[in-house]
Amino acid sequence: MEQLSAGRKLEHAFEQLGKEKTLSFEVDLDTDAASLKALDDSSDPAPGEEIPDEAAELLSDAKITVTVQSKKPLEESGEKDLVGTAMKVSTPDGDLIEYRMIGDYTYIRANMDAVGKTMGSPLPDADDLPPEAGALKDVLQGKWVKFNTEEMNKAAAEGEGAGGGSAPSLDSKAQKKLVKALRKVIAREVEFKTVGGGDGVEHVIATAPFRTLLTELLGEVRPLAKGLPLPTAKELKDAPNAKVTADFTLKNGELAQVDLDLAKLAENAKVKKLGLTLRMREGTKPTAPAGATTLDMEELMNGLLGGVAMPDAEFETSGLEDTPQDLY
């Protein structure tokens, strides 16, 4: 009875979210730099490809905030119903990168110094770029820029080649069939229990063996989404089968927070802390930032292909004068 009751409470909480037209949440990577370094070491990176210490420190404190707004309740919405989407990656030292999709445009800005640290190498200075770099200078200076979303999507599709085709998608009938199948898998493989917290707060604890759950979930998805590059059952055999626990915090029946412990999946004793925390926030309407510079596709391609990365490249010529001329 508790299994059914706890699972039903969680299902009801997600049904309530689907009735909202605006949804905001924050994802916090609950880890530390030492665990990220240990996780990276276990992947056996090539020399020089290890995650930089600065990047590990930065990512361990990173948070992602997402807001989605639709004309209709989210459970009834399609892509055309979305009127605004916003995402921001931030750290205690400030915002790392932020983008918003409003109307026909996508707006983006980034702290390029911090981005360079995560990549392990500094990016060009805006003052070093040639005049034809245009709005790319604003990108490097952390200012808002915008581009036409449809034009960018067309350029991306052309880049995939004529044989790429459109992205695979599910019609509404297939979606309903998939949701029904996934619910059956979750009811069969996931153990639920409820823990009271007082003041309208209670916790639904969900526990499941990772490889078994993932294999069965993807087994239901695969026949309905044949165009998606999903891992095969054979590939999933190497995935860890440790039990993963998710703690869903409900406040007066509504979802408030989710805590997911992933440390056991690392299968590395040095990974002491590895988890994700999702916190629901009050929905705020995404708005277009003022003063954004337009970044058109032609300008972008000319800038990238015109030598922006090496604006004043100088080649080392010492020693060339000693090259034997009879080789030419």
Side-chain angles (χ1 to χ4, degrees), residues 152-207:
M152 179 64 79
N153 290 338
K154 287 181 179 179
E158 291 173 0
E160 293 175 357
S166 58
S169 60
L170 298 177
D171 57 33
S172 58
K173 184 177 180 180
Q175 289 179 24
K176 291 179 180 179
K177 183 178 180 181
L178 178 59
V179 170
K180 185 177 181 180
L182 296 183
R183 282 181 175 176
K184 288 183 178 179
V185 172
I186 292 173
R188 183 171 65 247
E189 298 297 340
V190 181
E191 297 177 4
F192 295 99
K193 68 176 181 179
T194 305
V195 180
D199 294 329
V201 176
E202 59 183 340
H203 296 265
V204 175
I205 311 299
T207 305

Side-chain angles (χ1 to χ4, degrees), residues 12-25 66-78 81-84 251-256 280-285:
H12 174 73
F14 278 102
E15 288 174 351
Q16 291 300 109
L17 288 180
K19 295 177 182 179
E20 299 289 340
K21 292 184 179 180
T22 302
L23 180 66
S24 292
F25 58 90
V66 178
T67 299
V68 178
Q69 183 184 28
S70 175
K71 300 175 186 176
K72 302 178 181 178
L74 293 172
E75 63 183 0
E76 303 172 10
S77 297
D81 298 313
L82 298 181
V83 294
K251 175 71 172 179
N252 297 325
E254 296 183 356
L255 184 64
M280 307 308 300
R281 299 300 189 208
E282 290 294 326
T284 55
K285 181 180 178 180

Side-chain angles (χ1 to χ4, degrees), residues 29-46:
L29 182 59
D30 186 18
T31 186
D32 52 40
S35 292
L36 287 179
K37 292 284 289 184
L39 188 64
D40 182 56
D41 290 342
S42 64
S43 67
D44 194 24

